[in-house]
Amino acid sequence: FFEKVARGRDAKLSANWVINELFGRLNKEGFDLSESPVSADQLGGLVDLVKDGTISGKIAKDLFEILWTEGGDPAEIVETRGMKQVTDLGAIEAEVDKIIAANPDKVEQARAKPGLVGWFVGQVMKATGGKANPQAVDDLLKAKIGIDHPHKGQHRKMIALGQYLRTDQQINLVIMHPIDKLRRRLWPGDIVRC
C-alpha cells in the first residue's frame, strides 16, 4: 500500500499520510488496511495536491475526511468544491492589510514581541477560511510589520539568495528571501527548478 502511495512522490510526505492519517483513522474505526475506504491511488492523489501547493495541510485533512466518507477523485473534489489554497498574493495581501489596519495596537506589540505574528497569521487564515498559504501569510506579515526581515521595506527588490538541492531528476533552488522574478513573487521555501 505504502509503495503504491509513494511511487514517484515525496516519500516522507507519503509516509506521514499513510502512518498518521490513514493508519490512525483505521485504528480509530477498528478497520484493517484491506477494509480502508481510501485507496492508495486516492491517498497518492491527495499527497500530490499537498506537494504541489494546490491545497494546504488543513485543507488536505478536510479532503481526507471527504475521501473517507464519500470517496471520489481528490483533484476533482478540490476543483468542484472550491478547496484550492489561495496562493494569489494580491488576495492574501489585501487580507493582511485589513487585519493590520484594524489592529494597530497589536502591530506595535508584535514589533516588540515577534512571536505575536502568529496571532495575525491566525486572523488572516480565519478571514480566508483557512485557504491562504500560511507561509506566504507569515512572510508577508513580517515584511509589512517590519519583523525579522533583514531588508525591511525592500522585500520586492531583494536579490535571490538560496540553497541548491540536488535530486535524482533535477537541481532545485530553495529560495531563502522574498524576490520578484518574471512577475511572480518567490518566497522563502519556494523551490525553483533549475
Side-chain angles (χ1 to χ4, degrees), residues 8 51-52 164-165 167 169-175 181 184 186 190-194:
K51 185 66 179 168
D52 69 16
Y164 284 97
L165 293 180
T167 64
Q169 296 92 10
Q170 66 197 29
I171 296 175
N172 295 320
L173 172 68
V174 179
I175 302 301
K181 180 180 180 188
R184 176 176 169 247
L186 300 173
D190 282 357
I191 297 177
V192 179
R193 290 186 178 161
C194 301

Side-chain angles (χ1 to χ4, degrees), residues 110-174:
R111 285 185 180 132
K113 279 187 160 180
L116 292 176
V117 167
W119 181 84
F120 285 96
V121 172
Q123 297 304 305
V124 173
M125 296 304 287
K126 191 187 300 181
T128 61
K131 291 183 180 179
N133 180 316
Q135 186 62 53
V137 170
D138 187 69
D139 292 338
L140 197 52
L141 279 164
K142 285 179 178 177
K144 288 202 172 259
I145 293 173
I147 297 174
D148 232 9
H149 204 278
H151 301 285
K152 184 163 92 175
Q154 298 177 13
H155 67 281
R156 293 182 184 181
K157 298 176 185 170
M158 291 175 64
I159 296 172
L161 297 175
Q163 172 183 7
Y164 284 97
L165 293 180
R166 177 175 225 132
T167 64
D168 293 340
Q169 296 92 10
Q170 66 197 29
I171 296 175
N172 295 320
L173 172 68
V174 179

Side-chain angles (χ1 to χ4, degrees), residues 2 5 11-24 43 46-47 50 55-65:
F2 170 74
V5 173
K12 183 178 178 186
L13 186 60
S14 298
N16 285 339
W17 275 94
V18 169
I19 293 167
N20 298 328
E21 300 303 323
L22 181 66
F23 286 173
L43 196 55
L46 181 146
V47 168
V50 172
I55 60 175
S56 66
K58 179 193 178 305
I59 296 170
K61 289 185 183 225
D62 296 340
L63 177 59
F64 180 81
E65 184 62 32

Side-chain angles (χ1 to χ4, degrees), residues 94-126:
E95 289 301 326
V96 165
D97 289 341
K98 284 182 203 170
I99 301 296
I100 287 174
N103 298 283
D105 54 330
K106 292 238 186 238
V107 170
E108 290 307 315
Q109 291 173 9
R111 285 185 180 132
K113 279 187 160 180
L116 292 176
V117 167
W119 181 84
F120 285 96
V121 172
Q123 297 304 305
V124 173
M125 296 304 287
K126 191 187 300 181

Side-chain angles (χ1 to χ4, degrees), residues 20-78:
N20 298 328
E21 300 303 323
L22 181 66
F23 286 173
R25 185 65 181 266
L26 289 170
N27 286 337
K28 181 180 172 189
E29 302 288 336
F31 289 170
D32 190 59
L33 182 59
S34 62
E35 301 171 298
S36 174
V38 178
S39 72
D41 289 335
Q42 289 173 315
L43 196 55
L46 181 146
V47 168
D48 288 341
L49 293 170
V50 172
K51 185 66 179 168
D52 69 16
T54 302
I55 60 175
S56 66
K58 179 193 178 305
I59 296 170
K61 289 185 183 225
D62 296 340
L63 177 59
F64 180 81
E65 184 62 32
I66 293 167
L67 293 173
W68 184 273
T69 56
E70 301 171 26
D73 176 63
E76 272 182 36
I77 292 168
V78 167

